[in-house]
Amino acid sequence: MKKALAVIAGTLLAGSALAQDLPKTQLKIVGGLSNLTAYTDYERPFWTKTIPEKSGGQVTAEIKGFNEMGLKGPELLRLMSQGVVEFGTATLSYFASDNPINEAIDLAGLAPDVATARKVTEAFEPVYAKFYGEGSKVKLLGISTYPAQVLFCNAEVKGLADLKGKKVRTSSRNQAEFVEAVGGSSVTMAFGEVVPALQNKVVDCAITGSLSGYSAKWYEVSTHLYALPINWNQQIHAVNQKAWDKLDPKVQAFLQAEVKTLVNDIWDAAARQTQEGYDCNTGAAACPNPVKGKMVLVQPSAADMEELKKIRQTVLSKWAARCSAQCVSDFNATVGKTIGVTASK
């Protein structure tokens, strides 16, 4: 017992010694969307509580969601590149129009479960690190994710075949390509416009995170929830390279290790929250919230999963046609090898 206590005491002393070694450092962070749980439950407390506590008060940070600063998201990488924003978090899909490489890990149909999504992300992360480092002078610290993006429908849906002829709200080009590959038609609209659109049958279905849809009360205007993750909406955590280089090496090492923990926590939360979204939209007993929806949860069949492979190949081909030869080669060498797919131009 004494030996165990001595080890614990030694570890704590080592931790406090490390904290004392860190120079006083003040950071400014532009975080993700401030109304989502990835920000409120993880990112904000990480920078405002965890970092100061773990550093013994030596490293402190201010954080605001990019939307609170009047930003839309797609400009964030450019602002980090210019050094206007030092540390920033942003969804990769925001940068898809700048370069299709930003779609590589989140192509619709690529990762039908969170474990695959994480494998794909980790396989391609070194490619992004090099791409942002060389092209934008931005250092990639980590990549986390939102919960699964799934289909909410206001009509009976038993499987992928039932999406044929349906109008589906999408939020990205490759989501649209997925919907078109199953015979549906894609409709682009803002998140806030979806409830009246579902209510008035302007659209038959809409794609969003399972928990985001619950929070926005989509269960009031839709009847069927199709539990097939179409994509995930990964987000990067990054820093301007010059701003990073100015930090003490001990602070760099401290931050890199702590961000790794943050990313792990958000990935774990995404898996839980995907299920929580299913539970709460459908009124399952496991839902921890008092308000429960009454949607029908539809699980993808074995036939759907086979069909998904064909649709994924269509999405992959369209993406490969617009990405560079190097980008496609990097994809095949990393993601392709990891999950057994091949993109070709």
Side-chain angles (χ1 to χ4, degrees), residues 5 10 31 56 69 73 103 149 163 169 197 257 261 295 302 311:
L5 288 171
M69 301 184 73
E103 298 172 275
Q149 303 290 300
L163 295 175
R169 178 264 181 178
T261 303
M295 295 182 72
I311 294 161

Side-chain angles (χ1 to χ4, degrees), residues 179-250:
V179 167
E180 284 150 18
V182 296
S185 56
S186 165
V187 181
T188 305
M189 66 172 61
F191 185 82
E193 295 168 13
V194 174
V195 167
L198 281 167
Q199 200 165 23
N200 300 318
K201 307 280 184 182
V202 173
V203 293
D204 303 298
C205 303
I207 300 171
T208 195
S210 60
L211 197 58
S212 303
Y214 169 76
S215 301
K217 300 184 178 179
W218 286 18
Y219 56 83
E220 291 182 350
V221 291
S222 33
T223 56
H224 288 66
L225 181 60
Y226 183 46
L228 174 69
I230 292 167
N231 65 309
W232 293 85
N233 271 1
Q234 287 96 324
Q235 54 178 4
I236 61 166
H237 303 265
V239 56
N240 171 268
Q241 187 67 57
K242 281 186 181 174
W244 180 256
D245 291 342
K246 286 178 186 172
L247 295 174
D248 185 283
K250 289 194 283 286

Side-chain angles (χ1 to χ4, degrees), residues 10 52 61 71 134 180 185 242 311-312 315 329 334:
L71 301 173
E134 291 178 357
E180 284 150 18
S185 56
K242 281 186 181 174
I311 294 161
R312 177 175 68 188
V315 171
S329 172
T334 55

Side-chain angles (χ1 to χ4, degrees), residues 37-270:
T37 55
Y39 178 87
T40 57
D41 294 0
Y42 294 93
E43 203 180 357
R44 185 172 61 197
F46 170 78
W47 289 109
T48 58
K49 292 180 182 174
T50 305
I51 288 296
E53 283 171 9
K54 291 273 187 82
S55 68
Q58 292 299 98
V59 182
T60 53
E62 295 172 26
I63 183 171
K64 279 191 175 179
F66 69 78
N67 52 313
E68 294 178 299
M69 301 184 73
L71 301 173
K72 290 187 167 62
E75 70 275 59
L76 208 55
L77 188 61
R78 189 179 69 249
L79 293 174
M80 273 194 280
S81 180
Q82 294 166 350
V84 177
V85 168
E86 293 186 351
F87 287 77
T89 302
T91 306
L92 272 165
S93 61
Y94 289 151
F95 316 133
S97 58
D98 295 340
N99 192 315
I101 197 172
N102 293 303
E103 298 172 275
I105 61 172
D106 200 32
L107 294 165
L110 195 65
D113 57 72
V114 73
T116 307
R118 185 142 201 199
K119 276 185 207 165
V120 163
T121 301
E122 288 174 351
F124 204 72
E125 190 166 339
V127 180
Y128 280 141
K130 185 180 178 191
F131 174 72
Y132 296 134
E134 291 178 357
S136 303
K137 307 300 179 207
V138 165
K139 179 178 174 59
L140 184 63
L141 296 173
I143 305 176
S144 63
T145 191
Y146 286 113
Q149 303 290 300
V150 292
L151 278 152
F152 289 71
C153 295
N154 62 9
E156 187 176 34
V157 170
K158 292 180 179 174
L160 282 173
D162 295 326
L163 295 175
K164 192 172 182 179
K166 288 191 166 51
K167 299 187 293 292
V168 182
R169 178 264 181 178
T170 58
S171 61
S172 67
R173 182 171 181 170
N174 79 79
Q175 271 186 7
E177 288 168 351
F178 178 92
V179 167
E180 284 150 18
V182 296
S185 56
S186 165
V187 181
T188 305
M189 66 172 61
F191 185 82
E193 295 168 13
V194 174
V195 167
L198 281 167
Q199 200 165 23
N200 300 318
K201 307 280 184 182
V202 173
V203 293
D204 303 298
C205 303
I207 300 171
T208 195
S210 60
L211 197 58
S212 303
Y214 169 76
S215 301
K217 300 184 178 179
W218 286 18
Y219 56 83
E220 291 182 350
V221 291
S222 33
T223 56
H224 288 66
L225 181 60
Y226 183 46
L228 174 69
I230 292 167
N231 65 309
W232 293 85
N233 271 1
Q234 287 96 324
Q235 54 178 4
I236 61 166
H237 303 265
V239 56
N240 171 268
Q241 187 67 57
K242 281 186 181 174
W244 180 256
D245 291 342
K246 286 178 186 172
L247 295 174
D248 185 283
K250 289 194 283 286
V251 173
Q252 290 176 346
F254 167 71
L255 291 175
Q256 190 76 73
E258 294 301 328
V259 170
K260 190 175 181 182
T261 303
L262 169 69
V263 165
N264 281 334
D265 289 347
I266 297 176
W267 274 101
D268 290 346

